[in-house]
Structure formats: structure tokens, C-alpha cells
Amino acid sequence: MFWIMLVTRYQYNPVLTKDDIPYPVSTVHNAGVTTYNNEYIMLFRSHKMNGRSILGLARSIDGFHWKADEQPFMEPAKEGIFKKYEEFGVEDPRITFIDGEYLITYSAYSRHGVRIGLAKTKDWQQVERFALITEADYRNVVIFPEKINGLYVRLDRPHSEIAPWSIWISYSPDLRYWGDAQRIIAPAPYHWDEMKIGPGAPPIKTDKGWLNIFHGVYPTMDGSVYRLGVALHDLKDPSKIIGVGDDWILQPEEPYELTGYVHNVVFTCGAIPENDGTIKIYWGAADTVMCAGTAKIDDLVNLCLNNSRPPL
């Protein structure tokens, strides 16, 4: 089938596991990825031995062979308002380079729920917590890599007990205060993403629109299955959806995706477009290890254009 080959797994997956980390962790997964000074940077989530999450850093020359730093990059804050809202862990980072700095959005967990923190770095040595940019309960915030009509733009997924968990868009003049929110993509009934969807990697600019790689969840008698799909947003008004690919582009199939801390999961927080028209996609497999694969950007765009379903 056409869609099975959209993403080609790296033949030596997984690319990073707990055994590669020089401090004690039980998992390595759900990593944001970017480039810096001719290196790939991976900011990964790990469970400590007490079950709470921290963020570690790994570096690579080719995007497939990784070496982790000796110490974690971010742990729950020990002071101020961030301490209050990160006490249960920091999770699932996404990275956007804009205005000469790297923005890191991450899930902050506490007894008050889950909300999104925004941190900044310029050198991947020092990190500054900037703001808590949502209330509870929000996850999966990704920021577009350029301003549109003078505003920062983000996608997110608030929790809801009324409507299926969907992808929303909102805008900000300063990265701190966000508004004009709209629900723009919803799960499709009796479909591979019918339970919930959420943004995955930060959107990637193509000549035909913003490419959004998202995750979708399907409930089965044996638990939920997490897959990846794609949508295409208008370049000038990303609240307008050009198309949502009807088929998934990646599903759990390999042993390291089918079995682990959470079974049947492929979950992306990062992807890197390359100059040759391909894209490296990174995903956490079964919430246990990190994996990589490649795809042709045109193939993902064409899925949205030629085999699409309604966004809402």
C-alpha cells in the first residue's frame, strides 16, 4: 500500500535508550530535536527511578548516532512559581528556533494538573524559564518558527470532557499572553485518530503550506494505539486547513514500539527538514526508547492534498 512506505525507519533503531544515559533513568522518549552549530540537539524526556520526569540532552553529527550529556538539562524547578507547577516533573519538550533563540515548550506536572512552561536558550548550556503560558489542563504546545502577521503562533491541545481532544491555534504579541484561540482540527469518528489528537513536531514551512505532523489515538479492546498523521495549514493564515491526510503515516509495528512502558505508541515531538527534500522524524516508542526515520516532504504534503479528510 502507498501509505505504508511514507516513513522509512532507521535500520538501527532505537537511536537512544536508557543504557546510553550516564545517569540513572528508566526510559528515554518523547524528544524535541533541533540543530545548533552543525550539530543535531535532542532534548529527551526520561523517567527517574522515582517515576517523575526530567529532560536530558544528547548531541549528534548525523542525526542518528547520539551521545548524551553527563548531566540532565532540565529538572523540576526548586524555587519560585515554577517549583509549584513542576513538582511532579517536566515532560515532552518541543523546540522552535526564532528571533535568534531556541524556545522550549514543555509539560509541567503538579498536584494542580498539567500546564505548559516556556523556556529559552541560546547556547544549549544555560536555560531560562520564561513563563507558564497556559492554565491547566493543556499539553502538546508547538510554536511556529516565524511570526505571522506580526504575531507568534502556536498549536496546542487542551483537555475537554465535552468535545474530543482536538488541535487549537492561538496567537501572542510577546510569547507570554495568548489569545484569539480557535479549534481547527478534530478527531474523525471511527477513524485511526477518533479518540484524541495533538500537535507533534513544530510546523515545517513548505511552498504549499505549513506541514503539521501530529499524533492521533485510537481506542481498542487492548488499550489505545498512538499513530502519526499529517495536516497542511495555509501559509498566511494557519487557522485555515488545506488538508488533513486521511491515512496515518506511521503506526507501532516494531517490537520496541509495541511493548514497553506504554504499549503501542509512536509519539513525535520533533522533526528536522533537510536540504535534499527529506525530513528526519523522531519518535518515542512505547514511552521507552527514541527512534528515527526519514520521509520525503513532498510525499507528506501530497497526502494532505490528494487523500484528505475534513478537519472538523
Side-chain angles (χ1 to χ4, degrees), residues 157-168 183 185-189 193-197 217 312:
R157 202 278 310 285
H159 294 214
S160 172
E161 298 301 326
I162 299 175
W165 295 359
S166 304
I167 294 175
W168 290 62
R183 181 172 179 252
I185 308 175
D193 63 346
E194 76 167 8
M195 182 178 175
K196 58 182 176 179
I197 59 174
V217 185
L312 295 173

Side-chain angles (χ1 to χ4, degrees), residues 2-297:
F2 161 74
W3 53 267
I4 292 178
M5 298 304 296
L6 283 179
V7 178
T8 301
R9 287 172 173 83
Y10 177 57
Q11 62 178 327
Y12 299 116
N13 273 340
V15 297
L16 199 67
T17 76
K18 64 179 183 179
D19 297 329
D20 301 312
I21 310 306
Y23 44 87
V25 296
S26 62
T27 64
V28 175
H29 60 296
N30 296 6
V33 184
T34 190
T35 57
Y36 169 72
N37 282 357
N38 300 315
E39 281 188 321
Y40 293 81
I41 297 289
M42 177 184 288
L43 188 62
F44 58 87
R45 171 186 171 189
S46 285
H47 287 107
K48 295 171 64 177
M49 297 308 181
N50 64 4
R52 295 184 177 180
S53 291
I54 59 174
L55 303 182
L57 189 70
R59 305 169 193 267
S60 172
I61 298 301
D62 63 1
F64 295 113
H65 299 86
W66 296 87
K67 180 176 175 57
D69 285 2
E70 291 297 318
Q71 300 294 330
F73 185 73
M74 284 183 67
E75 300 187 73
K78 295 180 171 58
E79 60 185 14
I81 191 171
F82 290 95
K83 176 182 179 181
K84 178 178 180 180
Y85 290 103
E86 294 179 8
E87 63 173 337
F88 292 168
V90 289
E91 306 184 2
D92 297 0
R94 274 80 166 183
I95 305 166
T96 296
F97 182 72
I98 188 171
D99 297 340
E101 59 188 357
Y102 295 87
L103 306 180
I104 304 165
T105 55
Y106 61 95
S107 297
Y109 275 80
S110 72
R111 69 191 68 194
H112 309 290
V114 54
R115 59 190 304 194
I116 300 299
L118 174 63
K120 299 181 178 184
T121 185
K122 291 185 177 180
D123 58 8
W124 293 104
Q125 299 294 329
Q126 303 296 321
V127 63
E128 171 201 0
R129 284 168 167 83
F130 176 73
L132 292 160
I133 59 172
T134 71
E135 304 83 10
D137 282 304
Y138 278 77
R139 293 199 65 202
N140 306 311
V141 168
V142 299
I143 296 176
F144 283 70
E146 64 182 56
K147 292 181 181 179
I148 300 174
N149 298 321
L151 296 173
Y152 296 98
V153 186
R154 82 179 192 203
L155 304 176
D156 59 47
R157 202 278 310 285
H159 294 214
S160 172
E161 298 301 326
I162 299 175
W165 295 359
S166 304
I167 294 175
W168 290 62
I169 193 168
S170 58
Y171 307 86
S172 173
D174 59 5
L175 291 172
R176 189 181 298 273
Y177 301 105
W178 297 81
D180 293 331
Q182 298 181 57
R183 181 172 179 252
I184 56 173
I185 308 175
Y190 210 78
H191 201 259
W192 65 268
D193 63 346
E194 76 167 8
M195 182 178 175
K196 58 182 176 179
I197 59 174
I204 294 159
K205 192 175 188 178
T206 77
D207 58 355
K208 295 182 179 177
W210 291 102
L211 182 65
N212 167 18
I213 305 173
F214 66 91
H215 65 264
V217 185
Y218 183 79
T220 77
M221 295 295 290
D222 192 36
S224 300
V225 179
Y226 279 70
R227 300 181 174 99
L228 301 184
V230 285
L232 198 65
H233 301 239
D234 184 83
L235 287 174
K236 295 182 179 180
D237 181 359
S239 69
K240 295 181 179 179
I241 306 303
I242 298 170
V244 180
D246 193 52
D247 300 331
W248 65 72
I249 63 168
L250 187 73
Q251 72 164 349
E253 293 179 357
E254 298 297 325
Y256 49 78
E257 298 163 342
L258 297 172
T259 303
Y261 191 79
V262 182
H263 301 334
N264 298 317
V265 172
V266 293
F267 189 94
T268 188
C269 293
I272 303 293
E274 303 289 1
N275 292 331
D276 62 359
T278 65
I279 185 171
K280 288 185 175 74
I281 302 174
Y282 298 89
W283 62 91
D287 275 20
T288 304
V289 297
M290 276 303 302
C291 297
T294 58
K296 294 180 180 179
I297 292 175

